[in-house]
């Protein structure tokens, strides 16, 4: 084998081992968690809301619902704000302002999630407790914090999608007598829709998977919430709160919780790939 | 058809709402940075940085957590960089676009989307339990390496792709082999971009908590070997805040953490900008 062939093989192996880490993660999570799902029964595991791992009850229904509700709340807050920001920066602001603000907003994606959670505890939780009632640590608090945390993701990818729309589209629309806003709403947004949907899905993935900030502000009670002011426990916080001391079946149940989370995330990943390929 | 507003009025309304939302978003984000800096920076003194925490972090500084953070981050970067850059070289220089590149790229994207708590579970079962490393610097570093790998692959790929085709053609016409071209011309030209990926990875590692809580543990002693448990700054901050041990120390740690991450990301971003400007 000559030298260049050898180098190619080595690089191929490096690339393969990078990707194999994803396979290894999948194998280990399933290997640890699947036995419990088979033992409890998939239906009981997913739909039961009775979680008492030391007594042998492993139902994560309440946490699945809580995770979905918290994510939904984060989307309701984060998507309009983020999209508005993206539209203003991509369409209505000067180039100079965009050049300044886009990187600034991207830098903010680097702020650690514990910092968001901490500010949630210090500012948001007392605010909710004093003005809206309830314990403060709540579904609402988690949704607001996550909504803020996904902003940089949503904004940055949406701006890219909007600026990728060719200027001829805008010029054509303006030339036909449409206002700037009509142009944005009827021409630019539809043209950028697949990119914007990708931004929303990636934001969703970030919200579903977030752990530390949610643990700090959500209150972590295991039950189906009946109001947004009640404390909730998400799938991620369930794993993080109990992994430290869990053993045996209990630990398996936490890995099984991880499997459910992993599948949700993979579905989101697949859908973004499908959307970008369709374009 | 019902009455309609004049398009100009609708436009004025829409613009007002959009600008208001933008203003609100910026205010929230500015508030975060200002609040942490104003309350945290006064805590940061030389002795805060150079003394070990005492009494669970109630008193003293954060020196041992800085040491643990540096060890774990260094280990993660040393492991992930060759792997990530190698993958990027393979993807850009050695293959045509096809099923192999598509699978590798899709895999990297999926890996980037895996939540840190899942990585924590993975590192816990493989490194801490199965391989018997326990809660340690090495378990934490290995797991973080997996976490930052997609960042390094993506930025390195982007940087290598930005190097113009002409550079390579000139090399080949001078009789250089493909490997010589890559190591002598392409990689040096793409270096700022590759550095960007590595710096972003450092930033990501500094702020990570969920992964390290279950792989590196939370021992407050200064780690002296790879197999010692170590508490990073982010984990320390989390424990201080969550258990209400010391608010001033929590703010101080948060300020150092946030400002160093923002600075690192800022440098990383400007490096990439410079590279892109040079070649475009």
């Amino acid at each position: 084998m000559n030298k260049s062939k050898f180098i190619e093989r080595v690089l191929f192996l490096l690339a393969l081992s990078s990707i194999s880490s994803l396979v290894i993660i999948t194998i280990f999570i399933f290997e640890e968690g699947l036995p419990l799902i088979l033992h409890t029964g998939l239906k009981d595991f997913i739909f039961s809301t009775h979680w008492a791992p030391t007594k042998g009850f492993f139902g994560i229904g309440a946490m699945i619902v809580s995770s979905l509700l918290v994510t939904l709340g984060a989307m309701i807050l984060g998507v309009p704000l983020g999209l508005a920001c993206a539209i203003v920066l991509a369409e209505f602001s000067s180039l100079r302002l965009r050049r300044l603000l886009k990187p600034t907003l991207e830098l903010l994606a680097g702020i650690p999630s514990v910092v968001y959670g901490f500010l949630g505890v210090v500012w948001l939780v007392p605010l909710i407790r004093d003005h809206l009632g309830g314990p403060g640590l709540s579904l609402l608090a988690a949704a607001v914090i996550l909504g803020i945390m996904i902003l940089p993701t949503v904004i940055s990818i949406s701006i890219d999608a909007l600026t990728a729309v060719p200027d001829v589209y805008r010029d054509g629309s303006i030339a036909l007598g449409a206002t700037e806003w009509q142009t944005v709403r009827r021409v630019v947004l539809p043209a950028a829709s697949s990119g914007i949907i990708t931004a929303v899905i990636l934001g969703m993935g970030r919200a579903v998977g977030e752990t530390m900030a949610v643990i700090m502000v959500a209150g972590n009670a295991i039950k189906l919430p009946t109001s947004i002011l009640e404390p909730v426990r998400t799938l991620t916080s369930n794993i993080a709160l109990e992994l430290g001391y869990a053993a045996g079946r209990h630990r398996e149940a936490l890995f099984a919780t991880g499997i459910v989370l992993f599948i949700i995330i993979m579905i989101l990943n697949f859908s973004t790939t499908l959307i970008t390929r369709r374009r | 058809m019902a009455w309609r507003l004049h398009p100009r009025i609708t436009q004025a309304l829409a613009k007002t709402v959009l600008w208001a939302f933008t203003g609100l978003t910026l205010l929230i984000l500015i508030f975060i940075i200002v609040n942490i800096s104003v309350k945290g920076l006064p805590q940061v003194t030389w002795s805060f940085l150079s003394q070990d925490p005492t009494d669970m972090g109630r008193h003293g500084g954060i020196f041992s957590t800085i040491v643990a953070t540096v060890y774990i981050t260094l280990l993660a970067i040393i492991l992930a960089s060759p792997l990530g850059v190698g993958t990027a070289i393979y993807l850009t220089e050695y293959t045509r676009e096809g099923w192999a590149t598509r699978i590798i790229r899709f895999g990297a994207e999926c890996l980037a989307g895996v939540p840190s708590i899942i990585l924590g579970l993975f590192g816990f079962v493989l490194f801490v339990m199965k391989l018997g490393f326990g809660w340690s610097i090495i378990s934490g570093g290995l797991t973080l390496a997996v976490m930052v790998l997609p960042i390094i692959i993506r930025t390195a790929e982007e940087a290598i792709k930005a190097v113009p085709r002409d550079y390579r053609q000139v090399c080949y016409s001078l009789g250089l082999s493909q490997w010589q071209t890559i190591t002598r011309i392409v990689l040096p030209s793409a270096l700022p971009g590759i550095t960007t990926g590595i710096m972003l990875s450092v930033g990501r590692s500094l702020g990570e908590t969920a992964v390290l809580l279950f792989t590196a543990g939370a021992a407050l002693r200064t780690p002296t070997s790879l197999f010692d448990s170590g508490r990073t700054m982010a984990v320390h901050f989390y424990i201080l805040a969550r258990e209400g041990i010391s608010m001033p120390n929590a703010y101080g740690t948060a300020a150092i953490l946030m400002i160093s991450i923002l600075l690192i990301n800022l440098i990383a971003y400007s490096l990439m900008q410079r590279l892109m400007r040079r070649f475009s």
Side-chain angles (χ1 to χ4, degrees), chain A residues 7 11-12 14 18-19 28 32 88 103 105-106 108 110 118-119 123 179-181 211 240 251 258 269 273, chain B residues 11 14-15 21-22 29 35 83 87 90 94 104 106 110 113 117-118 125-126 129-130 179 214 237 261 269:
Chain A
I7 291 167
L11 288 170
F12 179 67
L14 284 180
S18 297
I19 295 321
F28 273 103
E32 293 291 310
V88 165
L105 289 165
E106 279 169 1
L108 292 169
F118 177 63
L119 288 175
W123 291 94
T179 62
E180 270 183 86
W181 168 243
T211 312
R251 184 187 289 156
N269 275 343
T273 314
Chain B
Q11 158 149 314
K15 279 196 177 178
F21 277 13
T22 308
L29 296 170
N35 185 260
L83 215 58
T87 305
Y90 181 75
Y94 277 92
I104 293 173
F106 179 66
C110 282
I117 187 71
I118 300 269
V125 62
L126 179 58
M129 310 296 293
K130 290 232 155 88
W179 183 242
F214 304 114
F237 165 62
I261 292 173
Y269 189 87

Side-chain angles (χ1 to χ4, degrees), chain B residues 116-128:
Chain B
S116 49
I117 187 71
I118 300 269
L119 290 172
L121 278 176
F122 157 73
F124 176 74
V125 62
L126 179 58
F127 303 126
V128 176

Side-chain angles (χ1 to χ4, degrees), chain A residues 111-248:
Chain A
I111 295 179
S113 52
V114 272
V115 170
Y116 285 100
F118 177 63
L119 288 175
V121 174
V122 176
W123 291 94
L124 185 64
V125 168
L127 214 62
I128 293 176
R129 187 174 51 219
D130 298 344
H131 295 279
L132 299 173
L137 298 164
S138 57
L139 201 169
L140 178 66
V144 172
I145 291 297
L146 285 178
I148 296 171
M149 288 181 69
I150 62 169
L151 282 173
T153 314
V154 175
I155 295 172
S156 157
I157 300 171
S158 301
I159 289 184
D160 290 342
L162 290 169
T163 45
V165 177
D167 270 336
V168 267
Y169 286 29
R170 294 181 186 87
D171 298 344
S173 167
I174 299 281
L176 288 172
T179 62
E180 270 183 86
W181 168 243
Q182 284 172 327
T183 305
V184 169
R185 203 168 75 97
R186 304 269 170 81
V187 179
V188 181
L189 281 180
S193 62
S194 70
I196 291 172
I197 295 171
T198 306
V200 172
I201 295 178
L202 285 177
M204 218 188 267
R206 180 132 197 237
V208 179
E210 178 49 46
T211 312
M212 304 319 284
V214 176
I215 290 190
M216 292 170 91
V217 299
N220 305 322
I222 311 167
K223 60 182 171 68
L224 280 172
T226 53
S227 112
I228 56 168
L229 297 176
E230 284 181 13
V232 292
R233 180 185 290 198
T234 62
L235 292 168
T236 50
S237 6
N238 189 45
I239 301 172
L241 285 165
E242 301 191 356
L243 187 63
Y245 63 89

Side-chain angles (χ1 to χ4, degrees), chain B residues 121-144:
Chain B
L121 278 176
F122 157 73
F124 176 74
V125 62
L126 179 58
F127 303 126
V128 176
M129 310 296 293
K130 290 232 155 88
L131 295 177
F133 295 156
W135 281 327
S136 58
I137 300 287
I138 189 166
S139 301
L142 283 164
T143 321
L144 279 193

Side-chain angles (χ1 to χ4, degrees), chain B residues 63-135:
Chain B
F63 183 69
S64 68
T65 67
I66 296 179
V67 175
T69 310
V70 170
Y71 284 168
I72 291 178
T73 306
L74 263 182
L75 186 62
I77 298 300
I78 290 171
L79 291 168
S81 302
L83 215 58
V85 176
T87 305
I89 296 174
Y90 181 75
L91 281 176
T92 48
E93 302 288 317
Y94 277 92
T95 45
R96 276 204 209 106
E97 293 295 315
W99 61 270
T101 52
R102 230 179 287 145
I103 288 177
I104 293 173
R105 236 177 242 124
F106 179 66
E109 261 167 52
C110 282
L111 197 57
V114 173
S116 49
I117 187 71
I118 300 269
L119 290 172
L121 278 176
F122 157 73
F124 176 74
V125 62
L126 179 58
F127 303 126
V128 176
M129 310 296 293
K130 290 232 155 88
L131 295 177
F133 295 156
W135 281 327

Side-chain angles (χ1 to χ4, degrees), chain A residues 21-29 262, chain B residues 111 118-119 122 146:
Chain A
S21 53
L22 183 69
V23 180
I24 298 172
I25 291 171
T26 318
I27 291 173
F28 273 103
I29 305 285
F262 193 74
Chain B
L111 197 57
I118 300 269
L119 290 172
F122 157 73
V146 175

